[in-house]
């Protein structure tokens, strides 16, 4: 009978824990202990680099004791941590979560402190919006922005007789390359994320690339746009690669960690994910730099075709008292932002990171303006240790692609609805795409109407 | 003296009552309250009456989850229920290396469930070079998609769950078997009963009580299967392994911005009530069998 009460106890305990989140209880003067997020599963070098940055921060801020806490945003664990009050004081979330967290007051209002930063008004407006409340005050700070990219394995390209310096530039070429890789190497030519809401995320990315949109906003009214010719075309492409070309391997239940692991292990020829993925592939999955290639997501010849862009926000826990909030913003400034805008900080960060043999210089989109970004690259160029030459197919074109933000309403829920759609196409040979899209559209619309 | 005894009993009992009340019953009571609320656990909740229950019952995925859970329970009953009994009876018949067999049978139970799942995930690799598919290849079979196909995913989960849980039940049966009077077996041997007749006429009737208990435990356990679908497939492919508990988890945690905790607790309570009623009905129906 112990199992009988497990779900009740689990949710109930969370409720009890959430009830005890009283900021006033923690307000006291004196030194501040600040728990900050650190990626889990980092290798020794990456941890050493992080610890060194912590030491530098503590030296500059003697009243603050920084304690790293392993934290990684995933849709399924974040809610539990948020509700249970177990998040670090400073943690990161994707752009898609910013507005909702602010509206529900689930994070601390640090707008006053952020406004006091010297570059508070310099954020790129597109990027800044995701961290701002309705009144324009910035509660969550954008620290990184990305556009989706097509990552590929140069070694598998060579083995398959493809030129790794000329990666596919159209979806027909992606399909042909995937088939060639699968036939010549026996590995998956192209793989797709499908679980934990990432199935919807990448399906939406491809939909954007084909000129579609997952939802449309008209004033306050959101309409699902899933049952569209673009989405059908994307799914047909995946269906053909999976069942006709047999070029997608044997695993169709990939989550973000799983696909990165498989790619770094040389099991996958190509996959679509954030353009800045090199860091996690290298520090968490032991990717061999020589294997790595990245290019832009091919866009269809349509005026609406665009690349899905997103990013990361740094936020402070709603539990934090005033001194902790102030310390948290200092950390965000020191660890995430200053290096993007201040030469000395950029050099110190790059030097520390490179000394621990961690990647410096992986491509990103600018959080501030492009000129600042370009200038920041010149500051750290001596320390860049990522194979930049292998990334030129991406870096040469990343700024030319129209960037389209993620669906803004019920984003993760809509992605969740799309997960089984892409899974069905990849695991059922006779999947009826039209029927799947019709049902998913109705389901997503019901969600949008309810929220 | 009597009153003093009562007080000291209470003093001894108090820590247990407190711990039980705080960690077991308070969360349950809190969950019942929450099933009538809309809350994100950070800002104050609002009462919504039966709305959460209505939302859950109107969700088409609920019936998929119910069907999947029943399918899991059925498969687990077909494979998982007889296997430990058979193993225990066979092991009780052998004289040599009995301890070794018990240890081997119990070994999977000692392996942490998450480790076991990760290990089996590796075995279930759907490519022709996967462990199970390589073995099947030796006899000219496969490759099987295992977890990557809606048809084979659930049986694959049941297979691992049976492997993981059978050892514990084997030990229960073995313990029960030691309680069976040897006189009965001796009498059967004098009557020149074969091994199967001994099992049928002596062992099984003597184990009746424990068999009834493990049966209901099996039903309750399988109705709450979570770990396997969560770790192996995340409910996929195409919701073919989404069980009731996984649905509860998804309600609460799949939306990163604060899930439908009300719906999650409403479904938890409905499941608990159904299982409670089922258990009560079962014990009522089988009361005469277990005591006769």
């Amino acid at each position: 009978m112990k199992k009988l009460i497990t779900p009740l106890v689990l949710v109930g305990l969370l409720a009890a824990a959430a009830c005890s989140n009283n900021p006033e209880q923690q307000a006291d003067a004196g030194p501040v202990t600040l728990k900050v997020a650190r990626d889990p599963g980092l290798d020794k070098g990456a941890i050493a680099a992080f610890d060194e940055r912590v030491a530098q921060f503590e030296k500059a801020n003697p009243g603050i004791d920084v304690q790293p806490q392993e934290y990684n945003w995933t849709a399924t664990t974040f809610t539990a941590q948020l509700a249970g009050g177990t998040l670090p004081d400073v943690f990161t979330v994707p752009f898609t979560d910013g507005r909702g967290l602010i509206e529900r007051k689930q994070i601390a209002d640090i707008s006053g402190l952020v406004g006091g930063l010297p570059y508070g008004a310099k954020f790129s407006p597109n990027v800044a919006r995701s961290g701002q409340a309705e009144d324009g005050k910035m509660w969550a700070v954008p620290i990184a922005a990305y556009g989706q990219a097509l990552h590929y394995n140069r070694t598998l390209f060579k083995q398959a007789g493809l030129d790794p310096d000329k990666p596919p530039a159209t979806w027909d070429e992606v399909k042909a390359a995937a088939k060639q890789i699968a036939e010549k190497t026996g590995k998956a030519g192209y793989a797709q994320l499908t679980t934990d809401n990432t199935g919807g995320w990448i399906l939406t990315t491809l939909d954007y690339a084909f000129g579609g949109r997952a939802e449309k906003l008209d004033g306050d009214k959101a309409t699902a746009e899933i049952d569209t010719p673009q989405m059908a075309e994307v799914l047909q492409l995946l269906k053909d690669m999976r069942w006709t070309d047999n070029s997608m391997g044997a695993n169709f239940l990939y989550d973000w960690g799983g696909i990165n692991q498989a790619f770094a292990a040389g099991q996958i020829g190509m996959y679509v994910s954030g353009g800045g993925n090199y860091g996690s592939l290298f520090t968490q999955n032991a990717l061999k730099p020589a294997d790595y290639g990245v290019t832009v997501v091919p866009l269809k010849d349509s005026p609406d075709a665009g690349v899905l862009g997103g990013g990361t926000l740094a936020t402070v826990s709603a539990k934090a008292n005033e001194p902790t909030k102030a310390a948290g913003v200092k950390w965000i400034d020191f660890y995430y932002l200053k290096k993007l805008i201040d030469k000395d900080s950029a050099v110190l960060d790059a030097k520390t990171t490179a000394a621990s043999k961690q990647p410096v210089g992986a491509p990103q989109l600018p959080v501030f303006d492009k000129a600042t970004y370009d200038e920041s690259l010149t500051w750290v160029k001596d320390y860049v240790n990522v194979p930049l030459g292998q990334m030129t197919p991406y870096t040469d074109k990343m700024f030319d692609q129209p960037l389209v933000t993620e669906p803004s309403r019920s984003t993760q829920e809509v992605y969740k609805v799309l997960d089984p759609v892409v899974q069905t196409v990849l695991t059922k040979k006779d999947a009826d795409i039209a029927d799947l899209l019709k049902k998913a559209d109705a389901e997503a619309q019901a969600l949008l109407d309810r929220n | 003296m009597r009153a003093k005894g009562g007080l000291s009993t209470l003093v001894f009992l108090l820590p247990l009552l407190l711990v039980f009340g705080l960690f077991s019953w308070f969360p349950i009571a809190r969950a019942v309250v929450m099933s009538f609320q809309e809350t994100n656990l950070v800002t104050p909740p609002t009462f919504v009456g039966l709305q959460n229950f209505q939302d859950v019952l109107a969700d088409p995925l609920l019936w998929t989850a119910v069907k999947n859970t029943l399918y899991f329970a059925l498969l687990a009953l077909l494979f998982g229920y007889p296997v430990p009994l058979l193993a225990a009876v066979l092991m009780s018949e052998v004289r040599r290396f009995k301890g070794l067999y018990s240890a081997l049978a119990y070994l999977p139970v000692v392996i942490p469930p998450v480790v076991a799942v990760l290990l089996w995930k590796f075995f279930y690799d759907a490519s022709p070079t996967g462990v199970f598919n390589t073995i099947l290849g030796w006899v000219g079979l496969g490759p099987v998609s295992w977890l990557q196909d809606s048809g084979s995913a659930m049986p694959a989960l049941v297979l691992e769950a049976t492997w993981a849980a059978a050892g514990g039940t084997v030990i229960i049966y073995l313990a029960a078997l030691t309680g069976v009077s040897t006189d009965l077996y001796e009498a059967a041997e004098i009557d020149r009963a074969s091994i199967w007749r001994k099992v049928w006429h002596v062992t099984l009737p003597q184990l009746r009580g424990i068999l009834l208990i493990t049966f209901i435990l099996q039903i309750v356990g399988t109705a709450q299967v979570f770990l396997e679908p969560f770790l192996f497939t995340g409910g996929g492919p195409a919701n073919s392994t989404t069980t009731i508990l996984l649905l509860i988890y998804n309600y609460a945690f799949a939306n990163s911005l604060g899930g439908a905790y009300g719906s999650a607790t409403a479904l938890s309570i409905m499941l608990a009530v159904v299982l409670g009623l089922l258990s009560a009905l079962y014990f009522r129906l089988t009361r005469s069998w277990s005591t006769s």
Side-chain angles (χ1 to χ4, degrees):
Chain A
M1 290 301 278
K2 198 172 74 183
K3 284 183 99 176
L4 189 70
I5 57 175
T6 310
L8 292 170
V9 170
L10 178 70
V11 184
L13 274 176
L14 277 175
C19 291
S20 63
N21 297 344
N22 184 355
E24 270 81 318
Q25 284 174 353
Q26 301 163 12
D28 57 347
V32 178
T33 302
L34 185 73
K35 285 187 184 154
V36 302
R38 186 181 71 198
D39 282 345
L42 297 177
D43 61 26
K44 273 185 190 166
I47 292 175
F50 190 92
D51 289 346
E52 181 58 30
R53 294 292 281 153
V54 168
Q56 289 162 359
F57 178 78
E58 286 177 339
K59 200 176 165 195
N61 298 277
I64 303 172
D65 174 25
V66 173
Q67 291 184 356
Q69 178 182 328
E70 291 209 338
Y71 163 84
N72 197 16
W73 183 94
T74 59
T76 41
T77 52
F78 178 69
T79 332
Q81 289 180 292
L82 183 69
T86 57
L87 289 165
D89 296 317
V90 179
F91 58 94
T92 55
V93 297
F95 278 7
T96 49
D97 278 9
R99 276 289 172 91
L101 288 169
I102 296 166
E103 276 167 24
R104 299 170 194 217
K105 299 192 168 34
Q106 290 168 305
I107 52 174
D109 178 1
I110 50 170
S111 55
L113 295 160
V114 176
L117 295 173
Y119 43 79
K122 271 191 84 174
F123 288 99
S124 151
N126 270 341
V127 164
R129 202 173 299 136
S130 54
Q132 288 170 337
E134 287 289 326
D135 60 5
K137 284 185 176 167
M138 188 173 274
W139 286 44
V141 190
I143 52 163
Y146 71 86
Q148 298 281 50
L150 182 73
H151 306 265
Y152 63 96
N153 184 316
R154 292 174 62 91
T155 309
L156 286 182
F157 262 56
K158 277 182 220 155
Q159 284 171 8
L162 295 160
D163 182 355
D165 293 326
K166 286 189 185 136
T170 66
W171 282 102
D172 285 340
E173 287 175 22
V174 170
K175 185 170 177 281
K179 194 175 177 202
Q180 204 165 326
I181 292 167
E183 280 170 0
K184 295 274 169 63
T185 69
K187 311 286 185 193
Y190 175 85
Q192 181 101 351
L193 279 155
T194 53
T195 63
D196 272 358
N197 307 1
T198 62
W201 179 47
I202 300 299
L203 190 61
T204 304
T205 301
L206 301 196
D207 182 43
Y208 281 14
F210 277 60
R213 297 289 181 272
E215 57 185 51
K216 193 174 75 182
L217 275 184
D218 185 11
D220 249 6
K221 168 89 180 144
T223 315
E225 293 208 323
I226 288 168
D227 189 7
T228 61
Q230 289 89 353
M231 201 67 107
E233 207 184 337
V234 168
L235 289 174
Q236 189 59 48
L237 171 77
L238 292 174
K239 193 174 181 181
D240 291 345
M241 286 205 281
R242 162 69 178 103
W243 297 103
T244 311
D245 297 351
N246 201 16
S247 62
M248 290 187 66
N251 190 351
F252 310 105
L253 293 173
Y254 276 124
D255 60 10
W256 194 75
I259 206 164
N260 287 340
Q261 204 175 19
F263 177 77
Q267 301 297 316
I268 292 172
M270 294 174 279
Y271 78 114
V272 172
S273 190
N277 253 17
Y278 183 84
S280 62
L281 286 168
F282 184 86
T283 55
Q284 287 164 294
N285 297 288
L287 170 85
K288 287 192 215 83
D291 284 350
Y292 186 71
V294 62
T295 185
V296 286
V297 172
L299 301 185
K300 282 265 176 177
D301 190 13
S302 151
D304 292 329
V307 61
L308 181 140
T312 310
L313 298 164
T315 61
V316 174
S317 164
K319 291 196 319 178
N321 55 25
E322 290 306 323
T324 312
K325 274 190 219 172
V329 173
K330 275 186 183 162
W331 172 254
I332 292 171
D333 173 42
F334 172 84
Y335 185 67
Y336 298 112
L337 284 177
K338 228 176 190 170
K339 64 184 177 188
L340 306 177
I341 205 147
D342 173 73
K343 188 179 176 185
D344 291 344
S345 301
V347 171
L348 179 62
D349 176 74
K351 201 174 167 183
T352 313
T353 311
S356 307
K357 295 192 169 55
Q358 298 309 302
V360 175
Q364 285 197 12
L365 288 179
V367 170
F368 302 104
D369 54 278
K370 186 165 181 296
T372 311
Y373 174 74
D374 288 341
E375 198 186 359
S376 73
L377 292 182
T378 62
W379 297 333
V380 298
K381 68 176 190 308
D382 291 345
Y383 303 100
V384 169
N385 55 9
V386 301
L388 273 188
Q390 292 161 217
M391 299 178 182
T392 50
Y394 180 66
T395 48
D396 283 353
K397 291 183 191 155
M398 62 194 254
F399 292 107
D400 301 337
Q401 289 192 312
L403 202 66
V404 188
T405 54
E406 290 182 75
S408 55
R409 284 287 172 83
S410 310
T411 318
Q412 296 298 335
E413 284 170 292
V414 170
Y415 286 167
K416 182 101 204 146
V417 168
L418 291 172
D419 273 5
V421 173
V422 65
Q423 286 175 12
T424 308
V425 168
L426 296 179
T427 60
K428 269 192 185 162
K429 200 171 185 175
D430 56 353
D432 181 347
I433 291 174
D435 185 54
L436 283 169
L437 288 181
K438 199 174 143 202
K439 284 182 182 155
D441 198 283
E443 216 180 313
Q445 190 60 55
L447 277 170
L448 292 171
D449 290 342
R450 203 169 64 202
N451 296 342
Chain B
M1 283 302 281
R2 223 175 174 188
K4 215 175 171 185
L7 192 67
S8 59
T9 312
L10 192 66
V11 169
F12 276 114
L13 211 57
L14 206 59
L16 186 70
L17 280 177
L18 271 177
V19 169
F20 222 73
L22 195 63
F23 293 107
S24 263
W25 295 106
F26 172 67
I28 292 176
R30 185 77 184 80
V32 172
V33 173
M34 205 198 286
S35 68
F36 298 101
Q37 290 177 330
E38 192 184 321
T39 175
N40 62 17
L41 298 184
V42 178
T43 46
T46 48
F47 270 89
V48 291
L50 290 172
Q51 189 60 47
N52 291 326
F53 291 88
Q54 285 167 4
D55 286 350
V56 168
L57 290 171
D59 185 351
L61 208 53
L62 174 66
W63 307 112
T64 308
V66 169
K67 265 190 276 176
N68 289 339
T69 309
L70 289 175
Y71 182 45
F72 184 95
L74 181 77
L75 286 177
L77 221 51
L78 286 176
F79 304 120
Y81 190 62
V83 167
L85 180 63
L86 195 69
V89 168
L90 288 177
M91 280 157 62
S92 71
E93 287 297 321
V94 293
R95 302 268 187 271
R96 299 181 68 187
F97 306 123
K98 202 169 171 178
L100 178 70
Y101 291 133
S102 307
L104 285 176
Y106 196 68
L107 204 59
V109 183
V110 189
I111 296 177
V114 176
V115 177
V117 168
L118 291 177
L119 198 67
W120 277 69
K121 219 172 176 177
F122 179 66
F123 294 161
Y124 278 146
D125 183 350
S127 63
T129 51
V131 177
F132 284 165
N133 281 340
T134 304
I135 295 167
L136 285 179
W138 292 339
V139 289
L141 294 173
V144 176
S145 295
W146 302 112
L147 305 167
Q148 312 292 332
D149 181 282
S150 309
S152 58
M154 194 62 103
L157 299 195
V158 173
L159 191 64
E160 189 276 342
T162 304
W163 169 87
T169 323
V170 165
I171 296 295
I172 295 175
Y173 287 144
L174 280 176
L177 280 168
T178 58
V180 178
S181 165
T182 48
D183 295 352
L184 294 171
Y185 288 115
E186 280 165 15
E189 270 165 26
I190 290 166
D191 290 342
R192 301 193 171 186
S194 68
I195 182 165
W196 293 115
R197 289 186 80 83
K198 277 196 285 180
V199 168
W200 187 253
H201 291 290
V202 179
T203 311
L204 288 182
Q206 290 293 313
L207 287 184
R208 190 169 47 202
I210 203 87
L211 282 170
L212 291 171
I213 293 288
T214 52
F215 186 80
I216 192 68
L217 284 178
Q218 168 101 4
I219 301 273
V220 171
T222 52
Q224 297 189 58
V225 60
F226 172 75
L227 184 88
E228 285 82 6
F230 179 66
L231 289 176
F232 271 122
T233 58
N239 288 325
S240 62
T241 56
T242 300
T243 58
I244 296 175
L245 235 70
L246 190 62
L247 187 63
I248 292 172
Y249 177 86
N250 283 342
Y251 277 142
F253 303 119
N255 177 11
S256 57
L257 285 179
Y261 296 108
S263 301
T265 44
L267 183 52
S268 303
I269 283 159
M270 285 194 269
L271 177 66
V273 168
V274 168
L275 289 179
L277 287 176
L278 190 76
S279 307
L281 186 73
Y282 176 82
F283 282 119
R284 198 175 170 79
L285 286 176
T286 57
R287 191 185 295 160
S288 56
W289 304 347
S290 54
T291 50
S292 67

